[in-house]
């Protein structure tokens, strides 16, 4: 693992922000995935690896979370560092202080910042003003830590990434955006089925299409879930109403009625397909119990890998 942190790509990553997967090259993403796998192996073997000893990660939560908070706190601790949880009520941000001032002050105290918030522009502004690495723990536009862990999980399960097809069914949200960005960079075929009115962000699609043309990935954006899932190696879905859109729940239930991932739909994928969900899940809505709790489901493996993927990001950019 020490060797992995001393190669040419590792040198490129030191001090970088981690805001979207599109900010990283194919080689850099592959490096982070391989580092995450190595860190996981080392932890399972009981090996101590603490490149961030004496360093502190400030964790700003303007949106609550289970997996993000626990995985980052445990991850920085295992790397030898110290987590500092900062809710919106703990900071002057909640009382109107400009995010630029917060970024400059925190940069004097901390070695890295993770933020989980709403608008993506907020993360960009924080990163521009900070002089330490900033990690996007989630915005309305992008969820890069989850997608990185997802592709790590797929590689562990399938032994490869190139040559696979990932099918996403549901809302054109931050998960679709990040999975699409990652697939386009890594050369993974990607198909997404979304209802009319719930499409992916046009700019994300445009940039991802350009990247896919370079990597050789085939990208399909369709309406019919059956078309997207056909011959897929991975089926992925998310809740129909993400955090911040709860008031649209009933409206969305009508729009997404034909977009449930269930046993009938899954029959169109390859027999050894993997089912993935970033969690939390609403069983009986976006996914049937038979699929999410069935033999093809790897939701807990991907949840665990949030820890290892984020450790890889922190070790790479903060060490």
């Amino acid at each position: 693992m020490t060797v992995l942190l001393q190669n040419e790509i590792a040198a490129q990553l030191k001090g970088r922000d981690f805001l979207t997967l599109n900010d990283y090259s194919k080689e850099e993403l592959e490096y982070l995935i391989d580092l995450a796998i190595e860190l996981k192996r080392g932890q399972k073997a009981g090996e101590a690896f603490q490149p961030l000893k004496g360093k502190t990660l400030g964790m700003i939560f303007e949106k609550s979370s289970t997996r993000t908070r626990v995985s980052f706190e445990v991850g920085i601790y295992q790397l030898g560092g110290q987590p500092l949880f900062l809710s919106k009520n703990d900071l002057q941000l909640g009382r109107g202080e400009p995010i630029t001032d917060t970024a400059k002050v925190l940069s004097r105290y901390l070695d890295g910042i993770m933020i989980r918030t709403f608008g993506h522009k907020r993360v960009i502004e924080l990163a521009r003003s900070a002089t330490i690495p900033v990690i996007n723990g989630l915005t309305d536009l992008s969820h890069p830590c989850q997608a990185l862990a997802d592709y790590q999980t797929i590689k562990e399960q399938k032994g490869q990434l190139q040559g696979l097809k990932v099918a996403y069914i549901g809302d054109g949200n931050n998960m679709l955006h990040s999975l699409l960005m990652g697939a386009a960079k890594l050369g993974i075929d990607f198909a997404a089925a979304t209802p009319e009115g719930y499409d992916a962000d046009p700019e994300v699609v445009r940039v991802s299409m350009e990247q896919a043309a370079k990597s050789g990935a085939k990208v399909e954006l369709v309406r019919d879930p059956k078309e997207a899932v056909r011959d897929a190696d991975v089926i992925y879905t998310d809740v129909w109403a993400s955090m911040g859109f709860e008031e649209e729940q009933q409206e969305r239930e009508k729009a997404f009625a034909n977009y449930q991932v269930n046993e009938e739909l899954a029959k169109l994928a390859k027999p050894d397909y993997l089912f993935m969900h970033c969690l939390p899940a609403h069983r009986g809505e976006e996914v049937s119990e038979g699929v999410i709790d069935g033999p093809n489901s790897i939701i807990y493996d991907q949840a665990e890998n949030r820890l290892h993927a984020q450790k890889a990001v922190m070790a790479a950019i903060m060490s």
Side-chain angles (χ1 to χ4, degrees):
M1 288 180 288
T2 304
V3 174
L4 281 173
L5 289 177
Q6 293 176 342
N7 66 20
E8 183 177 341
I9 294 180
Q12 296 173 188
L13 299 184
K14 292 182 185 297
R16 292 262 296 275
D17 297 319
F18 189 73
L19 305 187
T20 74
L21 297 190
N22 197 49
D23 299 330
Y24 283 66
S25 68
K26 175 184 178 182
E27 291 73 23
E28 289 169 341
L29 291 177
E30 289 174 337
Y31 167 84
L32 289 173
I33 290 170
D34 289 342
L35 178 58
I37 292 172
E38 285 302 310
L39 290 174
K40 182 177 181 179
R41 289 173 181 165
Q43 180 190 320
K44 300 294 185 184
E47 300 173 4
F49 180 64
Q50 298 189 324
L52 302 185
K53 190 173 183 179
K55 299 202 173 189
T56 304
L57 176 75
M59 306 187 307
I60 301 174
F61 281 86
E62 296 183 317
K63 264 189 176 182
S64 59
S65 172
T66 298
R67 280 151 290 276
T68 299
R69 178 174 178 179
V70 175
S71 57
F72 267 107
E73 283 201 12
V74 172
I76 187 71
Y77 173 78
Q78 290 181 352
L79 292 172
Q82 175 72 32
L84 181 64
F85 174 77
L86 301 166
S87 74
K88 59 183 179 181
N89 297 322
D90 297 321
L91 296 170
Q92 294 298 329
L93 275 174
R95 300 178 182 87
E97 180 177 58
I99 198 166
T100 53
D101 289 350
T102 298
K104 291 174 182 177
V105 171
L106 292 182
S107 295
R108 304 290 182 103
Y109 302 144
L110 305 169
D111 301 286
I113 300 171
M114 187 285 300
I115 181 170
R116 182 178 170 94
T117 187
F118 293 88
H120 191 72
K121 290 181 179 179
R122 197 162 176 77
V123 172
I124 293 174
E125 190 175 1
L126 178 70
R128 284 176 177 169
S129 299
T131 56
I132 55 178
V134 172
I135 300 171
N136 177 6
L138 175 141
T139 66
D140 291 346
L141 181 75
S142 181
H143 198 355
C145 292
Q146 178 69 58
L148 186 70
D150 293 336
Y151 285 124
Q152 174 199 344
T153 309
I154 293 170
K155 185 171 183 178
E156 287 177 338
Q157 295 282 336
K158 294 293 188 180
Q160 64 186 64
L161 290 173
Q162 285 75 29
L164 299 180
K165 176 184 176 181
V166 174
Y168 176 93
I169 309 299
D171 189 21
N173 61 13
N174 49 15
M175 272 318 312
L176 171 52
H177 295 157
S178 292
L179 290 167
L180 174 56
M181 291 180 198
K185 286 277 186 172
L186 292 164
I188 303 167
D189 290 344
F190 188 86
T194 58
E196 187 174 356
Y198 297 92
D199 296 318
D201 181 89
E203 181 62 15
V204 171
V205 172
R206 184 191 67 79
V207 173
S208 297
M209 287 295 192
E210 290 179 355
Q211 294 295 332
K214 297 176 183 178
S215 69
K218 181 181 179 182
V219 174
E220 299 175 278
L221 303 178
V222 299
R223 293 279 179 240
D224 187 354
K226 294 180 180 179
E227 185 179 348
V229 165
R230 189 168 285 108
D231 295 324
D233 297 281
V234 178
I235 304 176
Y236 200 117
T237 193
D238 193 4
V239 293
W240 290 340
S242 299
M243 189 180 295
F245 296 91
E246 291 87 353
E247 72 281 358
E248 299 178 9
Q249 179 66 31
Q250 291 185 345
E251 177 185 344
R252 285 172 174 258
E253 285 180 5
K254 295 178 182 178
F256 287 84
N258 296 322
Y259 287 79
Q260 184 189 76
V261 176
N262 50 40
E263 292 87 336
E264 182 180 356
L265 182 65
K267 288 178 181 178
L268 298 173
K270 292 181 180 177
D272 62 346
Y273 82 94
L274 305 175
F275 173 76
M276 304 182 76
H277 193 303
C278 55
L279 300 180
H282 296 164
R283 287 169 168 79
E285 288 186 15
E286 73 272 9
V287 59
S288 67
E289 291 188 4
V291 169
I292 194 170
D293 296 322
N296 297 76
S297 176
I298 56 167
I299 58 171
Y300 301 117
D301 293 314
Q302 70 177 117
E304 176 190 346
N305 281 343
R306 286 289 302 280
L307 170 65
H308 308 296
Q310 288 160 189
K311 284 173 67 176
V313 171
M314 289 187 286
I317 70 177
M318 290 176 61
S319 64

